[in-house]
């Protein structure tokens, strides 16, 4: 076995590989870009090497820098993870030429499956069923249009070098073919540098079912059963499960045999996935599935296979790459129970799944698995980490396993409802809605399910009055946040004749909300809200709403939904007088918690400069005008009311 390996990746997959390597006694080397200098995978590894600036083209896609890092640290092998260079045969050649081991298939195997058209021709020769279509080299529009007519509409135009839905167009009628082809070619050229396409029959009710295969360097190949990845948005997977719902013994036998045949056809070694498209319009039948493509790497969704087969696929990868035979024979690999994986992303589902950024000011996953289930949280981030615009915005993979599909689905819903994330827009509410969808719950899923139900799945109801009241109480500083998360029962003080209401403003989306918080004679709070909300007494909040306070905001969690409220800070002095004085002063005594700018830095009006902690809350001090910083307070400094926090360079007259 290797003594030390380098992981040519980042985020959750790098952390995942490190966990198995540590269990096996293998030391690890992480690589990182400037944006990832303090990332979790860097902290977890035994060693870490900087490989460049934040853009992937200057760091994680620089195979030369990665190989140099491996040689410099004495690593014997490189694990590519998924994405980045994991399916780049030129990188494999570079690794091998340096005398290192690539933990994955050979460059020849990757090349054989790297182009969809060539791979399908190879599979046809191997006797693996392939979707009816044109997979040839000729690319003249007249020929492609003629082939589309022969295949029969609707057809699917697909980039031969692509994936992730890029360079893909569905065409319903012949008159739309030319325009669709032009669009697919432009997109394919931009994404993959290759505008060649193939044309295939469009399957009316497609299921995306894939088979996990594994080979070694002794000619052995096995399958670890199937996964269903049909729940997709924009051709990208959202929730995966194993085994596939509705799978019949006949189809499983035919599909797994075809997958192993495909792996053996290219003398495959390591972890791989054979992806099939299945026509589910008349149920799952053994003669209605076709090879789509092969992923010559570990898949994002590999944990569901591990859960139902009791295997560690990363351990298998390391053992096979180190020259060992497969740890198990086909007869020793069995199925047990059902597993789901939900991909938690920083994205706005209601806005077409637009990727989001932000700092994860609050990040909390369930402490324990739901009753009757087991659970894994696969993540590469911690509370306080930022979601960078440079990389995929995945926050975590939530994986559950139980005795059957319904029990596993219930566990998934429970775990999502107990997940709390604040600081960025996330998709937990969408995932919970999908898990509860009637068709998905029944296993009646195909790749068009999310598209058909998207409006309902992404709709989030307006916050209830109790949720707004909880946010107002937190914003008003009514009680601390003890471990019980129940600030609503604490006393707020004494008023001799009557309570004086404290006015608090909140903003939720486009709505400005005025709340008036006062203390009742019994010591509880009353929150008066303007229409359309109702006034709320604090004892009405005993349903244990969970909340998180973060700079300038309060997020209240109800189930899998996080309602975030902006809290305008009345104490931040950014008025004209402050601007004229050329300095910013502390509005109250407090602790300088975080400094976000430096001496000599040019800043713009409204830019956050530092965070002042006072009254158990954090207040953002922002630039009152454009300018250059002459002096700024240091982190950890205790300041009094009126202390100068920031002084600007005086502008020349």
């Amino acid at each position: 076995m290797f003594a030390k390996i380098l992981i040519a990746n980042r985020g959750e997959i790098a952390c995942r590989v490190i966990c198995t390597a540590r269990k096996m006694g293998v030391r690890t080397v992480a690589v990182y870009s400037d944006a990832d200098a303090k990332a979790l995978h860097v902290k977890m590894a035994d060693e870490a090497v900087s490989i460049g600036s934040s853009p992937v083209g200057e760091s994680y896609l620089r195979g030369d820098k990665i190989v140099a890092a491996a040689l410099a640290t004495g690593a014997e092998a490189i694990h590519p993870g998924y994405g980045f260079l994991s399916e780049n045969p030129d990188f494999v050649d570079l690794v091998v030429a340096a005398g290192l081991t690539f933990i994955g298939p050979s460059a020849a195997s990757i090349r054989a499956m790297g182009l969809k058209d060539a791979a399908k021709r190879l599979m046809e020769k191997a006797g693996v069923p392939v979707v009816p279509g044109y997979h040839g080299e000729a690319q003249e529009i007249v020929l492609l249009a003629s082939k589309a007519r022969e295949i029969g509409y609707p057809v699917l135009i697909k980039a031969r070098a692509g994936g992730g839905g890029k360079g893909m167009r569905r065409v319903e009628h012949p008159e739309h073919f030319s325009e669709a082809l032009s669009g697919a070619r432009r997109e394919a050229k931009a994404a993959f540098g290759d505008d060649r396409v193939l044309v295939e029959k469009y399957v009316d009710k497609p299921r995306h079912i894939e088979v996990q295969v594994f080979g070694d360097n002794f000619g052995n190949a096995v399958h670890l059963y199937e996964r269903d990845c049909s729940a997709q948005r924009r051709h990208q997977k959202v929730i995966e499960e194993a085994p596939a719902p509705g799978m019949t013994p006949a189809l499983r036998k035919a599909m797994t045999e075809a997958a192993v045949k495909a792996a053996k056809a290219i003398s495959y070694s390591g972890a791989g996935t054979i992806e099939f498209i299945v026509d589910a319009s008349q149920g799952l039948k053994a003669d209605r599935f076709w090879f789509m493509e092969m992923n010559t790497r570990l898949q994002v969704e590999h944990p569901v296979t591990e859960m139902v087969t009791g295997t560690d696929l990363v351990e298998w990868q390391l053992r096979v790459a180190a020259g060992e035979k497969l740890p198990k024979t086909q007869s020793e690999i069995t199925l047990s129970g059902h597993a789901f994986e939900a991909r938690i992303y920083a994205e706005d589902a209601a806005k077409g799944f637009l990727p989001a950024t932000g700092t994860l000011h609050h990040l909390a996953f369930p402490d324990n698995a739901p009753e009757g289930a087991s659970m894994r949280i696969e993540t590469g981030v911690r509370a306080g980490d930022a979601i960078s615009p440079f990389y995929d915005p995945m926050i975590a993979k939530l994986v559950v396993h139980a005795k059957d599909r319904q029990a596993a689905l219930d566990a998934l819903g429970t775990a999502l409802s107990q997940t709390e994330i604040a600081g960025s827009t996330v998709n937990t509410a969408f995932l919970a809605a999908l898990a509860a969808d009637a068709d998905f719950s029944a296993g009646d899923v195909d790749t068009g399910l999310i598209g058909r139900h998207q409006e309902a799945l992404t709709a989030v109801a307006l916050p209830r009055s109790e949720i707004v009241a909880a946010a107002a109480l937190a914003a008003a500083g009514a009680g601390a946040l003890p471990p019980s998360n129940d600030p609503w029962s604490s006393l707020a003080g004494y008023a001799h004749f009557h309570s004086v209401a404290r006015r608090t403003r909140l903003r939720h989306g486009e709505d400005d909300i005025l709340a008036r918080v006062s203390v009742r004679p019994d010591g509880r709070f009353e929150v008066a809200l303007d229409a359309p909300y109702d006034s709320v007494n604090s004892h009405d909040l005993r349903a244990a709403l969970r909340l998180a306070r973060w700079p300038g905001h309060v997020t209240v969690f109800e189930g899998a939904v996080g309602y975030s409220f902006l809290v305008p800070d009345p104490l931040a002095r950014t008025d004209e007088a402050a601007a004229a004085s050329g300095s910013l002063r502390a509005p109250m005594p407090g602790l300088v918690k975080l400094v976000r700018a430096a001496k000599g830095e040019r800043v713009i009006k409204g830019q956050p400069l530092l965070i002042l902690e006072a009254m158990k809350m954090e207040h953002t001090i922002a630039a009152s005008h454009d300018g250059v910083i002459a002096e700024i307070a240091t982190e950890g400094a205790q300041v009094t009311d009126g202390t100068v926090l920031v002084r600007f360079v005086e502008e020349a007259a």
Side-chain angles (χ1 to χ4, degrees), residues 50 119 127 137 224 326 338-339 401 430 437 477 501 554 624:
S50 171
E137 289 290 341
L224 290 93
L326 289 175
H338 203 98
H401 176 263
F430 161 71
D437 178 82
V554 174
S624 54

Coordinates of all heavy atoms in Angstrom, one line a residue, residues 50 119 127 137 224 326 338-339 401 430 437 477 501 554 624:
S50 N 0.5 25.0 -2.0 CA -0.2 26.0 -2.8 C 0.2 25.8 -4.3 O 1.3 25.5 -4.6 CB 0.3 27.4 -2.4 OG -0.2 28.4 -3.3
A119 N -17.3 6.2 -28.1 CA -17.7 5.3 -27.0 C -18.9 4.5 -27.4 O -18.9 3.2 -27.2 CB -17.9 6.0 -25.7
G127 N -21.5 -5.4 -28.0 CA -22.8 -6.0 -27.7 C -23.6 -5.3 -26.7 O -24.6 -5.9 -26.1
E137 N -18.7 10.4 -37.9 CA -17.8 11.5 -37.9 C -18.3 12.7 -38.7 O -18.0 13.8 -38.4 CB -16.4 11.0 -38.5 CG -15.7 10.1 -37.5 CD -15.1 10.8 -36.3 OE1 -15.0 12.1 -36.4 OE2 -14.8 10.2 -35.3
L224 N -21.5 -3.1 -8.7 CA -22.1 -2.9 -7.3 C -23.5 -2.4 -7.4 O -23.9 -1.5 -6.7 CB -21.2 -2.0 -6.5 CG -19.8 -2.6 -6.1 CD1 -18.7 -2.2 -7.2 CD2 -19.3 -2.2 -4.8
L326 N -9.3 -7.1 -6.7 CA -10.6 -6.6 -6.1 C -10.8 -7.2 -4.8 O -10.6 -8.4 -4.6 CB -11.7 -6.9 -7.1 CG -11.8 -6.1 -8.4 CD1 -13.0 -6.6 -9.2 CD2 -12.0 -4.6 -8.1
H338 N -32.0 0.7 1.5 CA -32.2 1.7 0.5 C -31.5 3.0 1.0 O -31.4 3.3 2.2 CB -33.7 2.0 0.3 CG -34.0 2.6 -1.0 ND1 -34.4 1.9 -2.1 CD2 -33.8 3.9 -1.5 CE1 -34.6 2.7 -3.2 NE2 -34.2 3.9 -2.8
A339 N -30.9 3.7 0.1 CA -30.1 5.0 0.4 C -30.5 6.1 -0.5 O -30.8 5.9 -1.7 CB -28.6 4.7 0.4
H401 N -29.6 6.1 5.0 CA -29.8 4.7 4.6 C -30.8 4.1 5.7 O -30.7 4.4 6.9 CB -28.5 4.0 4.7 CG -28.6 2.5 4.4 ND1 -28.7 1.6 5.5 CD2 -28.7 1.8 3.3 CE1 -28.8 0.3 5.0 NE2 -28.8 0.4 3.6
F430 N -36.2 23.4 -1.3 CA -36.5 22.7 -2.6 C -36.3 21.2 -2.4 O -37.1 20.4 -2.9 CB -35.6 23.3 -3.7 CG -35.5 22.4 -4.9 CD1 -36.6 22.2 -5.7 CD2 -34.3 21.7 -5.2 CE1 -36.5 21.4 -6.9 CE2 -34.2 20.9 -6.3 CZ -35.3 20.7 -7.1
D437 N -42.7 15.2 -2.7 CA -43.5 15.2 -3.9 C -44.2 13.9 -4.1 O -43.6 12.8 -3.9 CB -42.6 15.6 -5.1 CG -43.4 15.5 -6.4 OD1 -44.1 16.5 -6.7 OD2 -43.4 14.5 -7.1
G477 N -33.0 42.3 20.5 CA -32.1 41.9 21.6 C -32.9 41.4 22.8 O -32.4 41.4 23.9
A501 N -42.8 50.4 24.1 CA -42.5 49.5 23.0 C -41.2 49.9 22.3 O -40.9 51.1 22.1 CB -43.6 49.6 22.0
V554 N -31.1 38.2 10.7 CA -31.6 37.1 11.5 C -32.3 36.1 10.6 O -33.0 36.5 9.7 CB -32.7 37.6 12.5 CG1 -33.3 36.4 13.3 CG2 -32.1 38.6 13.5
S624 N -18.5 55.4 4.8 CA -19.5 56.4 4.6 C -19.4 57.1 3.3 O -20.3 57.9 2.8 CB -19.4 57.5 5.8 OG -18.1 58.0 5.8

